[in-house]
Amino acid sequence: MYRRVMAFDFDGTLAVDGVVPPALERALERCRAMGHALFLVTGRRFETVALYRLAELFMGIVWENGAVLTHTGSGETYLPFGQLDANLVKALEERGIPFERGLAIAATWMPHDQTLWQVAGAYGGSASIEYNKGAVMVLPPGATKGSGLERLLALCGFSPRNLAAFGDAENDLSMLTLAEVAVAVADAVPAVRELADVVAEAPGPRGVLEVLERYPLAGQFLDIPLKRERPILLGQTEAGSTVSLPASRLAGRNLGVFGDSGTGKSWIVGLIAEGLHHENYQVLLIDPEGDFRGLRVLPRFVSVSGDRSSLPPPSAVVSLLDAGGVSLTLDLSQYPVPLRSGYVTELLRALRPVRERRYRPHWIVLEEAQQFLFSGGEVTGAILPLLAAGGWAFVSYRPDRLSTAVLEVLHHCLFTRVSEPEAARGLREHCRICGLSETRLDEIPMGHALLCSGQMVRMRPAIRRVPHIRHLYKYLDTPLPAGKRFWFRNEHGGIGQEAASLYEFLQLIPILPIDSLEYHDRRQDFARWAEGTLGDGTLAARLRKVANRQYRGEELRQALLRVVASHYEELNALR
């Protein structure tokens, strides 16, 4: 139920001849009482509509086709795009064009639009012209219903990703394009009907009432299929076709991501987080191990971390999410393990009002969920009331340790390899409806993920915008366990050198015999070590490219130096 903001055009959509039918007014009252945020968006001049009691239902009103905004709570009026140039208004008067002047716009009607275009071209600069069936409006630069509504939503703390917009005319197109869900009444102009995700069977206000009763008043907004779905790319099938998840499915439902450690769970969750953030959904990642701190390199994606004395209190984190509108990684890796459950519990309590009033963040990830969501745990008790709204993802290598109450509210899952018998058995029991009982979860290939639909996805590192840094402080400088270090050899055997970290690997490249470098490069051993042991798909892809170019001698040494040194510096900069 994350689509809880609704915006309505007035003439032809909510009203006929300026009158909203009583049945529709009652339906709007019910929507408001159910927790929906309502906005009115009209091309009419400022305060020329007598809304009476209806005005109290709207949190804000967009007037004059987006050029004038009213915030109901404060009573303040804004002109975010300024007013028309005085010379343009004077020219309209001199040409004898009949027009009505608003606070920010001038409006006339056809056939005066041809003369209006001529005057606007000569005097209007970048002023724009909008049509509303027979009416024609000239507006300040940048003003449309969509841009005005976007400003008003931001002022009220809402996101367009929560928005369902209703309209019928050409000037509603920008508003419908802004919205997550576009709704057209039956007698809408063809362009609006073509754009809309839902077209009512009835015209005008009766069509709005029909859609309200079919969807939001029945709690069914989640099930509207979108024409303009925002796909989040996951990877490819073995046949080469792309595989994606609809953003609306992620924001509106609950996802489980399960698999063994080191099999790519965090990588694919980071990929989804990047994709949602890129599409302007707000993301929160609760990250006990610091796996996602690299996301902070993205614009408007921040990372918050600290130990017991320096980590901001949960209320400050929630304030940043609420007021700042940013996506956020909460890195708990330095915070004492025994205190993490208490911190997360307080975070969830502080977050609940924002989720219920602002419907954000749109997607919340709890990594290492088995540490928090066991039966009887304090985090489990705090999170259960929040799960019905959807938009949660739980990541775990031991899903069998999660509370049954949490597993029951998962709508879909992603699996990487699951080799622990008890974990696999628990998943098969939970997912028996999907036919998972016939799937060998311990045979999922490395670098792949299985959707609960049965589709296998080959994950591709190249589609990540941010290098995955799960092992940043585990392999960058810190020695790896003996069995995971890179042991150098040549055609004749070992040469007595090993790299215990990426730093040591980099230091050895200039001094190792060239025949050893050529031996491993030919066999693509470097790429396999980077991907299989370090879990670094980005580095593996770059080393694989070096191998494919078949460098020899010092040319190979320099190519390896460039690739490893630049990658080391990239990771080092993300500390």
Side-chain angles (χ1 to χ4, degrees), residues 233-266:
L233 181 62
L234 299 181
Q236 293 183 329
T237 65
E238 292 301 331
S241 58
T242 59
V243 180
S244 60
L245 284 176
S248 62
R249 186 178 176 191
L250 293 161
R253 292 178 169 84
N254 299 321
L255 171 69
V257 183
F258 304 127
D260 294 348
S261 296
T263 55
K265 300 188 306 299
S266 299

PDB file of all heavy atoms in Angstrom, residues 233-266:
ATOM      1  N   LEU A 233      17.210  -4.034 -13.332  1.00  0.00           N
ATOM      2  CA  LEU A 233      17.939  -5.091 -14.026  1.00  0.00           C
ATOM      3  C   LEU A 233      18.736  -5.934 -13.039  1.00  0.00           C
ATOM      4  O   LEU A 233      19.499  -5.418 -12.221  1.00  0.00           O
ATOM      5  CB  LEU A 233      18.878  -4.474 -15.066  1.00  0.00           C
ATOM      6  CG  LEU A 233      19.707  -5.439 -15.917  1.00  0.00           C
ATOM      7  CD1 LEU A 233      18.794  -6.330 -16.745  1.00  0.00           C
ATOM      8  CD2 LEU A 233      20.661  -4.661 -16.812  1.00  0.00           C
ATOM      9  N   LEU A 234      18.577  -7.267 -13.111  1.00  0.00           N
ATOM     10  CA  LEU A 234      19.305  -8.194 -12.261  1.00  0.00           C
ATOM     11  C   LEU A 234      20.457  -8.866 -12.990  1.00  0.00           C
ATOM     12  O   LEU A 234      21.520  -9.105 -12.424  1.00  0.00           O
ATOM     13  CB  LEU A 234      18.365  -9.283 -11.727  1.00  0.00           C
ATOM     14  CG  LEU A 234      17.197  -8.834 -10.857  1.00  0.00           C
ATOM     15  CD1 LEU A 234      16.397 -10.049 -10.407  1.00  0.00           C
ATOM     16  CD2 LEU A 234      17.679  -8.038  -9.659  1.00  0.00           C
ATOM     17  N   GLY A 235      20.262  -9.212 -14.249  1.00  0.00           N
ATOM     18  CA  GLY A 235      21.287  -9.928 -14.999  1.00  0.00           C
ATOM     19  C   GLY A 235      20.685 -10.538 -16.237  1.00  0.00           C
ATOM     20  O   GLY A 235      19.775  -9.963 -16.839  1.00  0.00           O
ATOM     21  N   GLN A 236      21.181 -11.711 -16.615  1.00  0.00           N
ATOM     22  CA  GLN A 236      20.724 -12.368 -17.829  1.00  0.00           C
ATOM     23  C   GLN A 236      20.444 -13.839 -17.571  1.00  0.00           C
ATOM     24  O   GLN A 236      20.988 -14.445 -16.652  1.00  0.00           O
ATOM     25  CB  GLN A 236      21.802 -12.270 -18.927  1.00  0.00           C
ATOM     26  CG  GLN A 236      22.064 -10.878 -19.445  1.00  0.00           C
ATOM     27  CD  GLN A 236      23.082 -10.884 -20.570  1.00  0.00           C
ATOM     28  OE1 GLN A 236      23.976 -11.725 -20.600  1.00  0.00           O
ATOM     29  NE2 GLN A 236      22.955  -9.957 -21.485  1.00  0.00           N
ATOM     30  N   THR A 237      19.604 -14.414 -18.429  1.00  0.00           N
ATOM     31  CA  THR A 237      19.476 -15.860 -18.468  1.00  0.00           C
ATOM     32  C   THR A 237      20.673 -16.426 -19.219  1.00  0.00           C
ATOM     33  O   THR A 237      21.441 -15.694 -19.848  1.00  0.00           O
ATOM     34  CB  THR A 237      18.188 -16.275 -19.185  1.00  0.00           C
ATOM     35  OG1 THR A 237      18.276 -15.863 -20.563  1.00  0.00           O
ATOM     36  CG2 THR A 237      16.970 -15.628 -18.552  1.00  0.00           C
ATOM     37  N   GLU A 238      20.842 -17.723 -19.154  1.00  0.00           N
ATOM     38  CA  GLU A 238      21.938 -18.348 -19.902  1.00  0.00           C
ATOM     39  C   GLU A 238      21.766 -18.144 -21.394  1.00  0.00           C
ATOM     40  O   GLU A 238      22.735 -18.160 -22.155  1.00  0.00           O
ATOM     41  CB  GLU A 238      22.020 -19.845 -19.564  1.00  0.00           C
ATOM     42  CG  GLU A 238      22.463 -20.135 -18.145  1.00  0.00           C
ATOM     43  CD  GLU A 238      23.839 -19.561 -17.832  1.00  0.00           C
ATOM     44  OE1 GLU A 238      24.673 -19.432 -18.737  1.00  0.00           O
ATOM     45  OE2 GLU A 238      24.067 -19.229 -16.652  1.00  0.00           O
ATOM     46  N   ALA A 239      20.528 -17.911 -21.832  1.00  0.00           N
ATOM     47  CA  ALA A 239      20.279 -17.668 -23.256  1.00  0.00           C
ATOM     48  C   ALA A 239      20.579 -16.237 -23.664  1.00  0.00           C
ATOM     49  O   ALA A 239      20.555 -15.906 -24.852  1.00  0.00           O
ATOM     50  CB  ALA A 239      18.832 -18.005 -23.592  1.00  0.00           C
ATOM     51  N   GLY A 240      20.871 -15.373 -22.676  1.00  0.00           N
ATOM     52  CA  GLY A 240      21.259 -14.009 -22.997  1.00  0.00           C
ATOM     53  C   GLY A 240      20.168 -12.975 -22.876  1.00  0.00           C
ATOM     54  O   GLY A 240      20.418 -11.786 -23.072  1.00  0.00           O
ATOM     55  N   SER A 241      18.939 -13.372 -22.535  1.00  0.00           N
ATOM     56  CA  SER A 241      17.866 -12.386 -22.364  1.00  0.00           C
ATOM     57  C   SER A 241      17.967 -11.753 -20.978  1.00  0.00           C
ATOM     58  O   SER A 241      18.393 -12.390 -20.013  1.00  0.00           O
ATOM     59  CB  SER A 241      16.500 -13.039 -22.554  1.00  0.00           C
ATOM     60  OG  SER A 241      16.325 -14.101 -21.638  1.00  0.00           O
ATOM     61  N   THR A 242      17.590 -10.481 -20.887  1.00  0.00           N
ATOM     62  CA  THR A 242      17.721  -9.754 -19.620  1.00  0.00           C
ATOM     63  C   THR A 242      16.614 -10.177 -18.646  1.00  0.00           C
ATOM     64  O   THR A 242      15.511 -10.559 -19.049  1.00  0.00           O
ATOM     65  CB  THR A 242      17.637  -8.238 -19.841  1.00  0.00           C
ATOM     66  OG1 THR A 242      16.379  -7.917 -20.450  1.00  0.00           O
ATOM     67  CG2 THR A 242      18.770  -7.766 -20.738  1.00  0.00           C
ATOM     68  N   VAL A 243      16.945 -10.099 -17.369  1.00  0.00           N
ATOM     69  CA  VAL A 243      16.002 -10.428 -16.293  1.00  0.00           C
ATOM     70  C   VAL A 243      15.935  -9.239 -15.357  1.00  0.00           C
ATOM     71  O   VAL A 243      16.963  -8.698 -14.949  1.00  0.00           O
ATOM     72  CB  VAL A 243      16.450 -11.675 -15.512  1.00  0.00           C
ATOM     73  CG1 VAL A 243      15.451 -11.989 -14.398  1.00  0.00           C
ATOM     74  CG2 VAL A 243      16.603 -12.871 -16.436  1.00  0.00           C
ATOM     75  N   SER A 244      14.752  -8.812 -15.028  1.00  0.00           N
ATOM     76  CA  SER A 244      14.580  -7.663 -14.138  1.00  0.00           C
ATOM     77  C   SER A 244      13.395  -7.897 -13.224  1.00  0.00           C
ATOM     78  O   SER A 244      12.549  -8.762 -13.474  1.00  0.00           O
ATOM     79  CB  SER A 244      14.384  -6.371 -14.948  1.00  0.00           C
ATOM     80  OG  SER A 244      13.236  -6.472 -15.772  1.00  0.00           O
ATOM     81  N   LEU A 245      13.356  -7.113 -12.150  1.00  0.00           N
ATOM     82  CA  LEU A 245      12.209  -7.091 -11.250  1.00  0.00           C
ATOM     83  C   LEU A 245      11.525  -5.735 -11.361  1.00  0.00           C
ATOM     84  O   LEU A 245      12.210  -4.707 -11.409  1.00  0.00           O
ATOM     85  CB  LEU A 245      12.650  -7.312  -9.802  1.00  0.00           C
ATOM     86  CG  LEU A 245      13.028  -8.732  -9.387  1.00  0.00           C
ATOM     87  CD1 LEU A 245      13.538  -8.729  -7.953  1.00  0.00           C
ATOM     88  CD2 LEU A 245      11.828  -9.678  -9.512  1.00  0.00           C
ATOM     89  N   PRO A 246      10.210  -5.669 -11.396  1.00  0.00           N
ATOM     90  CA  PRO A 246       9.528  -4.374 -11.411  1.00  0.00           C
ATOM     91  C   PRO A 246       9.773  -3.621 -10.110  1.00  0.00           C
ATOM     92  O   PRO A 246       9.667  -4.198  -9.021  1.00  0.00           O
ATOM     93  CB  PRO A 246       8.048  -4.744 -11.562  1.00  0.00           C
ATOM     94  CG  PRO A 246       8.034  -6.174 -11.990  1.00  0.00           C
ATOM     95  CD  PRO A 246       9.270  -6.792 -11.429  1.00  0.00           C
ATOM     96  N   ALA A 247      10.109  -2.348 -10.224  1.00  0.00           N
ATOM     97  CA  ALA A 247      10.353  -1.544  -9.018  1.00  0.00           C
ATOM     98  C   ALA A 247       9.121  -1.522  -8.117  1.00  0.00           C
ATOM     99  O   ALA A 247       9.246  -1.549  -6.887  1.00  0.00           O
ATOM    100  CB  ALA A 247      10.752  -0.128  -9.410  1.00  0.00           C
ATOM    101  N   SER A 248       7.936  -1.489  -8.709  1.00  0.00           N
ATOM    102  CA  SER A 248       6.718  -1.445  -7.901  1.00  0.00           C
ATOM    103  C   SER A 248       6.543  -2.713  -7.078  1.00  0.00           C
ATOM    104  O   SER A 248       5.992  -2.687  -5.977  1.00  0.00           O
ATOM    105  CB  SER A 248       5.496  -1.239  -8.802  1.00  0.00           C
ATOM    106  OG  SER A 248       5.352  -2.322  -9.711  1.00  0.00           O
ATOM    107  N   ARG A 249       7.024  -3.843  -7.597  1.00  0.00           N
ATOM    108  CA  ARG A 249       6.931  -5.091  -6.842  1.00  0.00           C
ATOM    109  C   ARG A 249       7.864  -5.064  -5.637  1.00  0.00           C
ATOM    110  O   ARG A 249       7.556  -5.613  -4.581  1.00  0.00           O
ATOM    111  CB  ARG A 249       7.275  -6.261  -7.764  1.00  0.00           C
ATOM    112  CG  ARG A 249       7.073  -7.630  -7.141  1.00  0.00           C
ATOM    113  CD  ARG A 249       7.393  -8.722  -8.139  1.00  0.00           C
ATOM    114  NE  ARG A 249       7.293 -10.044  -7.539  1.00  0.00           N
ATOM    115  CZ  ARG A 249       7.717 -11.157  -8.113  1.00  0.00           C
ATOM    116  NH1 ARG A 249       8.270 -11.097  -9.315  1.00  0.00           N
ATOM    117  NH2 ARG A 249       7.592 -12.318  -7.519  1.00  0.00           N
ATOM    118  N   LEU A 250       9.010  -4.433  -5.791  1.00  0.00           N
ATOM    119  CA  LEU A 250       9.949  -4.313  -4.681  1.00  0.00           C
ATOM    120  C   LEU A 250       9.434  -3.338  -3.629  1.00  0.00           C
ATOM    121  O   LEU A 250       9.516  -3.599  -2.426  1.00  0.00           O
ATOM    122  CB  LEU A 250      11.313  -3.859  -5.206  1.00  0.00           C
ATOM    123  CG  LEU A 250      12.029  -4.887  -6.091  1.00  0.00           C
ATOM    124  CD1 LEU A 250      13.103  -4.204  -6.929  1.00  0.00           C
ATOM    125  CD2 LEU A 250      12.637  -5.992  -5.253  1.00  0.00           C
ATOM    126  N   ALA A 251       8.900  -2.199  -4.077  1.00  0.00           N
ATOM    127  CA  ALA A 251       8.426  -1.185  -3.141  1.00  0.00           C
ATOM    128  C   ALA A 251       7.118  -1.579  -2.478  1.00  0.00           C
ATOM    129  O   ALA A 251       6.804  -1.102  -1.385  1.00  0.00           O
ATOM    130  CB  ALA A 251       8.260   0.151  -3.864  1.00  0.00           C
ATOM    131  N   GLY A 252       6.355  -2.454  -3.104  1.00  0.00           N
ATOM    132  CA  GLY A 252       5.043  -2.792  -2.573  1.00  0.00           C
ATOM    133  C   GLY A 252       4.931  -4.137  -1.906  1.00  0.00           C
ATOM    134  O   GLY A 252       3.903  -4.445  -1.317  1.00  0.00           O
ATOM    135  N   ARG A 253       5.988  -4.954  -2.013  1.00  0.00           N
ATOM    136  CA  ARG A 253       5.926  -6.292  -1.430  1.00  0.00           C
ATOM    137  C   ARG A 253       7.194  -6.570  -0.632  1.00  0.00           C
ATOM    138  O   ARG A 253       8.109  -5.747  -0.603  1.00  0.00           O
ATOM    139  CB  ARG A 253       5.736  -7.329  -2.537  1.00  0.00           C
ATOM    140  CG  ARG A 253       4.358  -7.226  -3.207  1.00  0.00           C
ATOM    141  CD  ARG A 253       4.227  -8.237  -4.343  1.00  0.00           C
ATOM    142  NE  ARG A 253       2.852  -8.344  -4.812  1.00  0.00           N
ATOM    143  CZ  ARG A 253       2.297  -7.533  -5.701  1.00  0.00           C
ATOM    144  NH1 ARG A 253       3.009  -6.553  -6.219  1.00  0.00           N
ATOM    145  NH2 ARG A 253       1.040  -7.696  -6.080  1.00  0.00           N
ATOM    146  N   ASN A 254       7.262  -7.720  -0.014  1.00  0.00           N
ATOM    147  CA  ASN A 254       8.403  -8.084   0.831  1.00  0.00           C
ATOM    148  C   ASN A 254       9.227  -9.181   0.170  1.00  0.00           C
ATOM    149  O   ASN A 254       8.672 -10.161  -0.330  1.00  0.00           O
ATOM    150  CB  ASN A 254       7.927  -8.553   2.206  1.00  0.00           C
ATOM    151  CG  ASN A 254       7.167  -7.469   2.947  1.00  0.00           C
ATOM    152  OD1 ASN A 254       7.525  -6.298   2.893  1.00  0.00           O
ATOM    153  ND2 ASN A 254       6.099  -7.849   3.643  1.00  0.00           N
ATOM    154  N   LEU A 255      10.542  -9.014   0.213  1.00  0.00           N
ATOM    155  CA  LEU A 255      11.472  -9.896  -0.491  1.00  0.00           C
ATOM    156  C   LEU A 255      12.405 -10.580   0.502  1.00  0.00           C
ATOM    157  O   LEU A 255      12.911  -9.936   1.431  1.00  0.00           O
ATOM    158  CB  LEU A 255      12.296  -9.070  -1.486  1.00  0.00           C
ATOM    159  CG  LEU A 255      13.472  -9.755  -2.186  1.00  0.00           C
ATOM    160  CD1 LEU A 255      12.967 -10.814  -3.169  1.00  0.00           C
ATOM    161  CD2 LEU A 255      14.328  -8.728  -2.926  1.00  0.00           C
ATOM    162  N   GLY A 256      12.662 -11.865   0.301  1.00  0.00           N
ATOM    163  CA  GLY A 256      13.705 -12.575   1.024  1.00  0.00           C
ATOM    164  C   GLY A 256      14.853 -12.873   0.083  1.00  0.00           C
ATOM    165  O   GLY A 256      14.625 -13.309  -1.055  1.00  0.00           O
ATOM    166  N   VAL A 257      16.085 -12.624   0.523  1.00  0.00           N
ATOM    167  CA  VAL A 257      17.279 -12.931  -0.268  1.00  0.00           C
ATOM    168  C   VAL A 257      18.125 -13.879   0.575  1.00  0.00           C
ATOM    169  O   VAL A 257      18.676 -13.486   1.605  1.00  0.00           O
ATOM    170  CB  VAL A 257      18.077 -11.661  -0.623  1.00  0.00           C
ATOM    171  CG1 VAL A 257      19.272 -12.013  -1.511  1.00  0.00           C
ATOM    172  CG2 VAL A 257      17.181 -10.637  -1.333  1.00  0.00           C
ATOM    173  N   PHE A 258      18.227 -15.134   0.128  1.00  0.00           N
ATOM    174  CA  PHE A 258      18.813 -16.169   0.963  1.00  0.00           C
ATOM    175  C   PHE A 258      19.889 -16.940   0.208  1.00  0.00           C
ATOM    176  O   PHE A 258      19.742 -17.231  -0.985  1.00  0.00           O
ATOM    177  CB  PHE A 258      17.730 -17.142   1.434  1.00  0.00           C
ATOM    178  CG  PHE A 258      16.581 -16.484   2.156  1.00  0.00           C
ATOM    179  CD1 PHE A 258      15.269 -16.704   1.771  1.00  0.00           C
ATOM    180  CD2 PHE A 258      16.826 -15.632   3.223  1.00  0.00           C
ATOM    181  CE1 PHE A 258      14.212 -16.099   2.438  1.00  0.00           C
ATOM    182  CE2 PHE A 258      15.777 -15.019   3.896  1.00  0.00           C
ATOM    183  CZ  PHE A 258      14.466 -15.249   3.499  1.00  0.00           C
ATOM    184  N   GLY A 259      20.956 -17.285   0.914  1.00  0.00           N
ATOM    185  CA  GLY A 259      22.027 -18.077   0.321  1.00  0.00           C
ATOM    186  C   GLY A 259      23.233 -18.113   1.231  1.00  0.00           C
ATOM    187  O   GLY A 259      23.323 -17.378   2.222  1.00  0.00           O
ATOM    188  N   ASP A 260      24.179 -18.981   0.882  1.00  0.00           N
ATOM    189  CA  ASP A 260      25.397 -19.123   1.672  1.00  0.00           C
ATOM    190  C   ASP A 260      26.200 -17.826   1.676  1.00  0.00           C
ATOM    191  O   ASP A 260      26.076 -16.994   0.764  1.00  0.00           O
ATOM    192  CB  ASP A 260      26.278 -20.233   1.088  1.00  0.00           C
ATOM    193  CG  ASP A 260      25.655 -21.607   1.210  1.00  0.00           C
ATOM    194  OD1 ASP A 260      24.660 -21.742   1.946  1.00  0.00           O
ATOM    195  OD2 ASP A 260      26.162 -22.539   0.553  1.00  0.00           O
ATOM    196  N   SER A 261      27.068 -17.682   2.669  1.00  0.00           N
ATOM    197  CA  SER A 261      27.996 -16.557   2.694  1.00  0.00           C
ATOM    198  C   SER A 261      28.904 -16.613   1.462  1.00  0.00           C
ATOM    199  O   SER A 261      29.338 -17.687   1.040  1.00  0.00           O
ATOM    200  CB  SER A 261      28.857 -16.616   3.961  1.00  0.00           C
ATOM    201  OG  SER A 261      28.055 -16.456   5.106  1.00  0.00           O
ATOM    202  N   GLY A 262      29.155 -15.438   0.888  1.00  0.00           N
ATOM    203  CA  GLY A 262      30.064 -15.351  -0.249  1.00  0.00           C
ATOM    204  C   GLY A 262      29.484 -15.784  -1.568  1.00  0.00           C
ATOM    205  O   GLY A 262      30.227 -15.947  -2.547  1.00  0.00           O
ATOM    206  N   THR A 263      28.144 -15.966  -1.658  1.00  0.00           N
ATOM    207  CA  THR A 263      27.555 -16.415  -2.920  1.00  0.00           C
ATOM    208  C   THR A 263      26.868 -15.292  -3.696  1.00  0.00           C
ATOM    209  O   THR A 263      26.234 -15.547  -4.715  1.00  0.00           O
ATOM    210  CB  THR A 263      26.533 -17.535  -2.671  1.00  0.00           C
ATOM    211  OG1 THR A 263      25.556 -17.082  -1.721  1.00  0.00           O
ATOM    212  CG2 THR A 263      27.218 -18.781  -2.144  1.00  0.00           C
ATOM    213  N   GLY A 264      26.987 -14.048  -3.215  1.00  0.00           N
ATOM    214  CA  GLY A 264      26.483 -12.926  -3.997  1.00  0.00           C
ATOM    215  C   GLY A 264      25.207 -12.296  -3.493  1.00  0.00           C
ATOM    216  O   GLY A 264      24.634 -11.444  -4.180  1.00  0.00           O
ATOM    217  N   LYS A 265      24.736 -12.681  -2.289  1.00  0.00           N
ATOM    218  CA  LYS A 265      23.496 -12.084  -1.774  1.00  0.00           C
ATOM    219  C   LYS A 265      23.622 -10.571  -1.655  1.00  0.00           C
ATOM    220  O   LYS A 265      22.768  -9.823  -2.127  1.00  0.00           O
ATOM    221  CB  LYS A 265      23.150 -12.658  -0.389  1.00  0.00           C
ATOM    222  CG  LYS A 265      22.928 -14.139  -0.320  1.00  0.00           C
ATOM    223  CD  LYS A 265      22.408 -14.554   1.040  1.00  0.00           C
ATOM    224  CE  LYS A 265      23.272 -14.075   2.197  1.00  0.00           C
ATOM    225  NZ  LYS A 265      24.639 -14.592   2.158  1.00  0.00           N
ATOM    226  N   SER A 266      24.671 -10.133  -0.981  1.00  0.00           N
ATOM    227  CA  SER A 266      24.837  -8.690  -0.768  1.00  0.00           C
ATOM    228  C   SER A 266      25.055  -7.961  -2.079  1.00  0.00           C
ATOM    229  O   SER A 266      24.624  -6.813  -2.248  1.00  0.00           O
ATOM    230  CB  SER A 266      26.011  -8.437   0.180  1.00  0.00           C
ATOM    231  OG  SER A 266      25.772  -9.027   1.438  1.00  0.00           O
TER     232      SER A 266
END
